[in-house]
Amino acid sequence: MKAESAIDWDEMFEYLPGTVVELNNEPGVLYPIDWYEATMVPPIWLVNHPRPHYPHQLRIVSRREARVCELKSQKTFVDKPIF
């Protein structure tokens, strides 16, 4: 039997640390996301806010660019046949 991951990877990358959100029940008050913890329910922690939140409780105001490296294809050149 194959165990499936319960982690919602799309959601995790949508709510990256530093993304600015607004709580639906506090319009106009902005919070940056502190961290997303996939093993917690609810998973999203905000800076200077005591409780975590679910995605449906938040509205994304400004996204932060993800810190990722650019992958470049590496070409392999073979001078001689390998057999």
Side-chain angles (χ1 to χ4, degrees):
M1 184 167 130
K2 182 179 178 184
E4 294 293 325
S5 173
I7 296 174
D8 184 344
W9 292 100
D10 291 333
E11 182 179 280
M12 180 182 273
F13 285 109
E14 186 172 0
Y15 293 93
L16 291 172
T19 300
V20 178
V21 297
E22 172 182 68
L23 290 170
N24 292 335
N25 62 354
E26 294 181 26
V29 181
L30 305 178
Y31 295 95
I33 293 176
D34 193 14
W35 52 289
Y36 183 104
E37 177 55 57
T39 60
M40 296 275 301
V41 177
I44 303 166
W45 289 84
L46 306 176
V47 174
N48 296 325
H49 201 275
R51 296 179 312 186
H53 297 278
Y54 292 103
H56 70 271
Q57 297 174 312
L58 306 172
R59 184 179 76 81
I60 295 176
V61 176
S62 176
R63 296 191 188 278
R64 178 179 177 166
E65 291 184 22
R67 293 183 185 184
V68 295
C69 63
E70 183 179 328
L71 298 177
K72 296 180 181 179
S73 63
Q74 294 180 348
K75 296 180 181 178
T76 306
F77 296 99
V78 179
D79 292 337
K80 301 176 190 174
I82 53 176
F83 46 87

